Amino acid sequence: MTSLTGSDFKRYFHLVSLYLLYFGAFLYFAGPAIGRPVFELFLITGALSLIWHLPRIWRNPVVLLLGASILIQIASWMYCQQNFAQYAASNPDLKRLGHLFLFLPVAWVLGANNRSPWVLAVLFFAGLCITPFSMGDGASDFFDGQRSDFGYRNAQHVAMVFAVSLVALVVFRKRVLDGFPSAKTWASALLAAAIIYAVLIVAIANTRGIFLGLAAGLLVAGAGMLLKNKKPKKRDVLVTAVLAIVMAMSLSLTSNPVSNWLREVDTVKSLVSGDVSNIPNDTSSGIRIHTWVEGWKWFGQSPWIGWGQNGKNMAIKESTALPEAIRNEFGHLHNSYLETLVNNGLLGLSLILALHAWVGTAVIKGCRRRGIKDVQVFTTVVGVLWLIANCFESYMFYRSGVMMFGIVSASLLTASGYDFGLSSPVARDAHES
C-alpha cells in the first residue's frame, strides 16, 4: 500500500475544498441551515490552502489590499473608541471590508481549470432559483400582484441577484446551447424558461436602482461596441427588445410602477432646486436623501478613517433632523459608498474603488488576451449595474451582495485566465482528475 505524499494530500485537500464550495454555494440561500455552515467550512479550507502558499502570493495586489483593509478598520475602530465609545464594538470588526475579498479563496480553489467557474455559476444560479420556493412563499409570490422579496432579505436584494443572473443567462446563452449539442431543443426551452423566470422576479421586485443599473450597463456595452465600429447583431437587439417588452408587461401586471415613480416627483424637484429641507420623508428616495445628508455630516468630522463599523448607525441615531420613526427603523444609509466614507473614511472608499478597478481590469485584460468576448460583455454590463445599484442600497455589506460579488468575481477571473500567481500543477491536477 503506497503512502500518501505531501503532494497527494494537497491535491485531495484542494478537491475536498472545491466540492465544499460547490455544495455551499448551491444551498447558501436555498437551504441556509446546511449551506452556510458548509460554505464556512469551505472558507476554512480555502484559507488554509492560501496560507500554505503565502510565501508565493503575499506580494499580489489583492493580498496587499486585504492587509490594508485590516489596518484601516482597526484605525477606524480606535478613533470611535476615543470619541464615541458607546458606538464602538468591544473589538474591531474586520469582516465589513474583509468580506469583499471573498473572491480570493474562491478563485484559488477554482484554480486554472476551464470548467470549474461554469460549474460553480450553474450551481449558484440553481440555488438562487430554488430559494423563492424553499425560503419564500413559492408560487403565490408570483401571482398575488404585490411586490415580493421571494424569501431574500428584501425586494431590493432579490432584484439585484436576479438582474445579474438575467444578464448572465442572456450573454452566455450560446455557451449553454453549445454545451448540449445533441439536445439543443430541450436546452433552448430550459434556457428560455430560466430567462423568463429571472425577468418575472426582477419585474415583481420592482427596484428602480436595478432598472437604472441595467439600462446604464446596456448603454455602456452598446457604446463600447459602437466605438469599436462593431454593429450589434440583429439577434442581440431582438433579444434585448423582447426582454424589455416582457419586463414592461410583468411590471404592469404585478404593480403600478408609474404611480409609484410619480410619487417621487416632488423629491426630484426639491433636489434639483437644492431645497433639501423640503424633500418629503415619506418616500423611498426622500428617506434615502435625508439619511445621506446626515451621513455626510459625520463623514466631514472624520474624513480620513471614519467612525468604525457602527458609524452608519451612529449617523442616523445621533441625528436631530431625522424624524424619530426613521431613526428607529433604519440602521444603515442605503449607499455602499457613503457608508464606507462614514465607517472607514476616504481611505476605506479608496480601497474599495481600487479593489473593484483591479478586478475589472484583470478580467478585461484576460478576456482581450484570450479573445473571450462574452465574458468581457458580461463584465461590462454587470460591472456598471453593480456600481450604480450600490448608490441606492448597501449591497456590498449584506449576504446577497457579498456572495454575488465573491462568486461572480472569482468565476470571471478564473474564466478570463487570471490565476493570482497562485495556480500550481497540484491545483490543476486536482480539478482535472
Side-chain angles (χ1 to χ4, degrees), residues 32 74 126 129 175 178 206 226 228 234 270 273 305 365 372:
I74 292 175
C129 290
R175 287 183 184 263
D178 290 346
N206 190 13
L226 291 176
K228 294 178 181 179
K234 291 183 179 179
S270 298
S273 65
I305 57 175
K365 282 185 176 179
I372 310 174

Side-chain angles (χ1 to χ4, degrees), residues 61-75:
V62 174
V63 178
L64 297 178
L65 286 174
L66 176 58
S69 74
I70 294 173
L71 295 177
I72 291 170
Q73 289 176 105
I74 292 175

Side-chain angles (χ1 to χ4, degrees), residues 288-330:
R288 279 171 165 78
I289 292 171
H290 282 293
T291 56
W292 292 347
V293 170
E294 298 305 307
W296 190 259
K297 293 177 182 176
W298 282 90
F299 158 66
Q301 297 179 48
S302 180
W304 290 106
I305 57 175
W307 296 91
Q309 61 263 37
N310 291 324
K312 59 183 176 18
N313 187 47
M314 182 173 65
I316 294 175
K317 301 304 181 187
E318 293 291 321
S319 171
T320 58
L322 294 174
E324 183 179 358
I326 293 178
R327 295 200 306 270
N328 292 334
E329 182 177 353
F330 296 98

